[in-house]
Amino acid sequence: MKILLAENIRFFRKASGLTQEQLAEAMGVTVGAVSKWESGATTPDLSSILELAALFAVSVDVLLGYQLQNTDARQLAEKIHALMLDKRYEEALRESKKALSKYPNHFDIVYRSADLYHAAGIEQRNHELLHQARGLLEHSLLLLDQNTNAQIDEAVIQIQIAKLYAAAGETDRALTHYKKHNWAGINNGRIGTLLSSAGRYEEARPYLSASALEQITELIQVTIGMSACAAQTGGPSEAFEVLSWMRQVLEGLKIPGKVCYLDKADVFLLHLQAQLCADAGDLPAAKDCLQKAVRTARRFDAEPVYTMKNIRFYHEKEPLLLSDSFGETAMQGLENSILHGTAESSQILREIWREIINESE
């Protein structure tokens, strides 16, 4: 068990917006004493520790910063989680109450209990459970130094707190919380959806549009990765189908007869499909994909669009410049990708490319 008292006095003092001088005055000690506490040179006596905990509104064990390694507590947290997954809510809630009574400042217990109260509160439409879940999550933020799960961090917990406000019908508080913790636009979609459900459509559009752009970009990247994995585990056919699905998604977002930035993305996806066909020895299919890529690239380069213009359902207040590393133009990107390819079948693809270019000249 490790005690982090010095670090926590400094952390909670700063979190409370206090200088060392102000803390010293509140505690009735010298500034030098506070400085020694925070450096670990001396340790406050028991009465001072109790007073500090009350001043910072935390429990003594949180102030001491116990790094709990209690196997029993972790097993209880896992049991609560398992019961929740089986939707045995009443039993899970009983176990949670006992666990919280025994381990009120164990991160796993507090966080898993919050998760349970959230799930049960949603399904049972019980606002009291939702309120308790929010309180547990807020408490878990003070215990994050105990967390060993890389999938859980402050951003995750703050988003869950905002979700609880929304679930309880506290729309304005949910929006405020989402916006306050909207790191890198992570909550744009949630904010937009909540505004839309509240009938605040003009406010919602920019958030939803920004989220849509992020999701489209992310989905293209994820699909390329999925295709690469499928090529190694499921074969070229499965990889080809993954890319075909993505191309269908992009096609559904294009305004018919209009050139848009998604056409350039389609050129890259067609090139990947041509490579897969060449790898599988299906040269006619490889040529067909490259011919489609060339036609699309030339159409895009004739009147390039580097904003979200001509993309369905997207509404932008101001034009947003889009960029990529594929190439300055779609044709340049396509040509460079083919001529500098390193796959075993790249030479075959280069021969097909030259054949297509010669036919079109």
Side-chain angles (χ1 to χ4, degrees), residues 142-153:
L142 299 175
L143 309 173
L144 261 176
D145 62 320
Q146 300 175 21
N147 176 42
T148 58
N149 188 339
Q151 301 299 314
I152 302 171
D153 59 14

Side-chain angles (χ1 to χ4, degrees), residues 154-170:
E154 182 184 354
V156 170
I157 294 174
Q158 296 290 8
I159 289 171
Q160 289 175 309
I161 290 173
K163 286 181 178 179
L164 284 163
Y165 278 126
E170 299 180 60

Side-chain angles (χ1 to χ4, degrees), residues 103-119:
Y103 303 105
N105 295 302
H106 190 289
F107 179 83
D108 292 345
I109 293 291
V110 174
Y111 184 80
R112 289 304 184 191
S113 294
D115 208 18
L116 164 66
Y117 281 54
H118 188 170

